[in-house]
Amino acid sequence: MSTTTADQNLQIKCEEVVKKMQALNINFLALDFDLTIISFHTGGRPWGGTIEEMSSFVRPMFRHLIPLAHQAGIQIAVVTFSPQVKTISQVLEHLFPHFASSIPIRGHDRSWAVEGCLHGKQPHMASAIEEIYSNVPDVEITRNSTLLVDDDDNNIDVALNEGVRAIWLDPNHADDFFDDVRQLM
């Protein structure tokens, strides 16, 4: 299969994901960064390469899904335990220059705080939603209208226990994500 054909097939799969999300009234997509958006784990250590180099590790599926979700009016946030928020922001700006600034990034950089929810990615998502509300006041995001995608099954379990839709992204079989979305109810 040629690269063009593979890319077109990936585009179609991502379009189907967005349609499924819309059918389920999902309007907030929360994405982990390490081992989810990108195909490796930084371990929270400062990135020593260029932004272009890190951008090359962004999974092809997210190169398609993020812009398609944005075009469909789905709010997007990056929720990560990494402290490298500035680097993540630069990667998003490099790949999605027309709308990267509308994607809140919540990492362990001490630039935000949320009272109450303290487990998993729940506080990250809550803080990102606060920022989204300040920029898009007419959107209503609920637990049921949220989808978390993360490689850490612990974060997935916490989200599911809190009533948030969540999909575990297996870093070794990331394409299983498409089947997992089809099974969402």
Side-chain angles (χ1 to χ4, degrees), residues 62-141:
F62 290 113
R63 290 174 181 264
H64 289 276
L65 182 59
I66 291 171
L68 288 169
H70 174 76
Q71 290 168 7
I74 296 169
Q75 302 302 312
I76 304 160
V78 175
V79 293
T80 179
F81 291 137
S82 172
Q84 298 186 79
V85 170
K86 182 177 179 184
T87 300
I88 294 167
S89 176
Q90 291 171 332
V91 167
L92 295 176
E93 190 64 41
H94 177 73
L95 294 174
F96 314 114
H98 299 293
F99 64 90
S101 63
S102 70
I103 301 175
I105 302 168
R106 292 299 182 268
H108 278 238
D109 64 347
R110 299 181 185 185
S111 67
W112 59 275
V114 172
E115 292 182 24
C117 51
L118 301 174
H119 303 291
K121 295 291 177 69
Q122 300 306 107
H124 298 69
M125 290 187 290
S127 176
I129 290 168
E130 287 177 1
E131 181 176 330
I132 290 167
Y133 282 163
S134 71
N135 295 320
V136 189
D138 60 329
V139 69
E140 183 179 339
I141 298 170

Side-chain angles (χ1 to χ4, degrees), residues 5 8 28-29 41 63 69 72 75 79 81-82 89 111-112 124 130 135 143-144 151 156 158 168 170 176 184:
T5 304
Q8 290 169 338
F28 178 50
L29 178 61
H41 203 292
R63 290 174 181 264
Q75 302 302 312
V79 293
F81 291 137
S82 172
S89 176
S111 67
W112 59 275
H124 298 69
E130 287 177 1
N135 295 320
R143 291 176 181 181
N144 197 45
D151 69 286
I156 297 303
V158 170
W168 176 64
D170 181 346
D176 289 353
L184 278 176

